[in-house]
Each structure stands twice: as structure tokens, then as C-alpha cells.
């Protein structure tokens, strides 16, 4: 069964600190993995996307890694800011359907305190 | 910022009422999607469309219906709302030729049925 599991479910950190969010997936065949940021009451916005051959991708203070062998990904946030408070969703796309099927994790709810 | 819009943003309505959630995009995207998202849970695909006059049901069974008369417009209708329909509804779109399967999300409609 194609699944995307994220951990932790929620995380509280102080402003300025770093954190790492985890994503494990069983989606096959694999096309790409994306991290989305979803602010409360808003739609998800894409942060990074990685294909099978990419190990790391950065977007400002966000750095995503991918290990396609172990089917794991992480999102590292450096020097957190209050505006980083949001849900971070790991999304995996399969290569097996014309729909371009996306599999969503439940997200990690990050709260940054001043 | 994606050019995809949803109205209303918030809707509180009584049981049995008919409602239509609007979704419009100005990017000329062929594919459009409707997702349902409950708090702390993953997005579930309820409807999608490949283009004008194309509509399909998604993975999650839904009593709602959709139509695609124009490329830019993909409304979702509930003929008789029930409390079990209370949820957040997210609309998304993407280009047919985009091999990365990047979907752009609207801000969502938070529906509460009393």
C-alpha cells in the first residue's frame, strides 16, 4: 500500500533554533518528493521538489534531503522564524498513472515561539 | 503566489441546504482537483478533471458533484449539506504537460454544517 508517514506529528521550538522534520514513504514507482508548507487556513505552497537522482535541495532556510534507497526524506529548517509556524506536508508523486497521483502525509505542525 | 481562487473562504450553513463552492484559476491549467482535509489529517482527493467536460471521482467517496464547463472554473456542489460534510475543501490545478506534477492550491473553503 502506498503511504507517506511523517514525524513528529507536532513540534515546538524557540525562535532562532534549527529543526528537522522526517518523512518515510512506501510509494512505488517513485517520481518525485515534495515538501509543502501550509499556513493555518491557507492552501499548501510548494517549498522543494526532488526527483530520484537528487539528494538535497535548498530553498532559503529550508533544506530537504532524499534517500531513495531507504525511502526517507527530511526537511531541515535553519534559524527558525515566527513565520515558520505552519504545517509541513510531505507529498510523494508516483510515476505509474497518467493522473500524476500524489500521496500526502498528515503533516508536522511546527510552532515557533518567541 | 498561485493564481487560483476559492470562494467563499468560510461558510456556515444549516443541514439540508444546497451549496456551491467556487474555484477559479487564471493560469490556463488543464487539470483541476478538489481535496477534502480534516484537521491534522492528510488531504484526500474527492474529484478531478483533465479539462473541459471531463470530471472523475477521486479516492475518497463524496456526495458532492463537480462540473467543468470552462477551463478556468471548477465548482463543487453539495445538493443537501449534512454535518458530516463539515471540513476544509481545497482546490488545486496543474499544467497537463508539467512532468513534475506540481499542483497549485487555492486558499481553501472552511465549511461548517450545523
Amino acid at each position: 500500500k502506498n503511504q507517506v508517514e511523517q514525524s513528529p506529528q507536532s513540534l515546538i521550538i524557540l525562535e532562532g533554533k534549527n529543526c528537522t522534520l522526517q518523512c518515510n514513504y512506501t510509494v512505488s514507482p517513485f517520481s518525485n518528493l515534495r515538501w509543502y508548507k501550509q499556513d493555518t487556513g491557507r492552501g499548501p505552497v510548494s517549498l522543494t521538489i526532488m526527483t530520484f537522482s537528487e539528494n538535497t535541495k535548498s530553498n532559503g532556510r529550508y533544506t530537504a534531503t532524499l534517500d531513495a534507497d531507504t525511502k526517507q526524506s527530511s526537511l531541515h529548517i535553519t534559524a527558525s522564524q515566527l513565520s515558520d509556524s505552519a504545517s509541513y506536508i510531505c507529498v510523494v508523486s508516483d510515476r505509474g498513472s497518467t493522473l500524476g497521483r500524489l500521496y500526502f502525509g498528515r503533516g508536522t505542525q511546527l510552532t515557533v515561539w518567541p | 503566489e498561485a493564481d487560483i481562487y476559492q470562494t467563499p473562504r468560510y461558510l456556515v450553513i444549516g443541514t439540508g441546504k444546497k451549496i456551491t463552492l467556487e474555484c477559479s484559476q487564471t493560469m490556463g491549467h488543464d487539470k483541476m482537483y478538489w481535496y477534502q482535509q480534516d484537521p491534522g489529517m492528510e488531504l484526500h482527493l474527492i474529484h478531478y478533471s483533465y479539462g473541459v467536460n471531463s470530471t472523475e471521482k477521486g479516492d475518497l467517496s463524496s456526495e458532492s458533484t463537480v462540473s467543468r464547463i470552462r477551463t478556468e472554473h471548477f465548482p463543487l456542489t453539495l445538493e443537501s449539506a449534512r454535518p458530516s460534510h463539515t471540513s476544509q475543501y481545497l482546490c488545486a490545478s496543474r499544467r497537463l504537460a508539467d512532468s513534475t506534477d506540481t499542483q497549485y492550491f487555492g486558499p481553501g473553503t472552511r465549511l461548517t454544517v450545523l
Side-chain angles (χ1 to χ4, degrees):
Chain A
K1 182 181 178 182
N2 290 322
Q3 284 186 311
V4 177
E5 301 285 345
Q6 292 187 242
S7 63
Q9 183 176 344
S10 62
L11 181 63
I12 299 174
I13 62 173
L14 295 176
E15 187 179 13
K17 298 295 185 182
N18 304 335
C19 67
T20 301
L21 314 180
Q22 301 290 343
C23 172
N24 297 331
Y25 63 93
T26 60
V27 177
S28 181
F30 173 86
S31 177
N32 59 64
L33 184 146
R34 192 187 310 269
W35 284 91
Y36 276 95
K37 178 186 179 187
Q38 184 176 22
D39 293 313
T40 301
R42 309 290 299 182
V45 175
S46 183
L47 290 175
T48 63
I49 177 172
M50 289 179 292
T51 58
F52 185 88
S53 59
E54 295 177 296
N55 300 119
T56 185
K57 184 71 68 76
S58 291
N59 178 2
R61 294 180 297 102
Y62 301 103
T63 300
T65 64
L66 174 65
D67 185 335
D69 292 330
T70 61
K71 298 186 177 182
Q72 296 179 325
S73 175
S74 66
L75 180 69
H76 186 75
I77 304 175
T78 304
S80 60
Q81 300 176 357
L82 298 180
S83 59
D84 292 332
S85 294
S87 178
Y88 292 84
I89 304 173
C90 177
V91 184
V92 180
S93 176
D94 73 9
R95 205 174 52 220
S97 72
T98 56
L99 174 62
R101 174 68 189 276
L102 299 183
Y103 296 87
F104 293 83
R106 294 186 176 185
T108 292
Q109 183 65 49
L110 174 66
T111 303
V112 180
W113 283 2
Chain B
E1 195 78 19
D3 294 324
I4 181 165
Y5 310 96
Q6 290 185 243
T7 58
R9 292 293 315 282
Y10 303 93
L11 180 62
V12 180
I13 201 164
T15 297
K17 299 293 185 183
K18 177 180 178 179
I19 60 169
T20 296
L21 308 185
E22 302 288 349
C23 175
S24 295
Q25 49 93 8
T26 58
M27 298 174 283
H29 288 173
D30 306 284
K31 290 187 175 181
M32 296 190 74
Y33 307 81
W34 276 103
Y35 292 90
Q36 187 173 337
Q37 184 184 31
D38 293 318
M41 302 296 288
E42 64 266 48
L43 278 70
H44 290 286
L45 181 67
I46 52 176
H47 298 283
Y48 62 94
S49 166
Y50 286 112
V52 172
N53 294 326
S54 156
T55 60
E56 302 286 344
K57 288 190 177 296
D59 305 315
L60 183 67
S61 175
S62 174
E63 294 165 346
S64 58
T65 59
V66 292
S67 63
R68 190 88 183 274
I69 299 173
R70 302 198 314 268
T71 298
E72 63 271 20
H73 197 211
F74 191 40
L76 180 146
T77 298
L78 274 167
E79 290 293 333
S80 180
R82 295 207 301 269
S84 61
H85 296 138
T86 294
S87 188
Q88 168 144 303
Y89 293 84
L90 290 163
C91 179
S93 71
R94 58 163 281 200
R95 285 191 303 115
L96 187 64
D98 183 357
S99 61
T100 66
D101 305 325
T102 299
Q103 293 187 19
Y104 297 88
F105 286 85
T109 294
R110 169 72 63 185
L111 173 66
T112 302
V113 184
L114 303 176

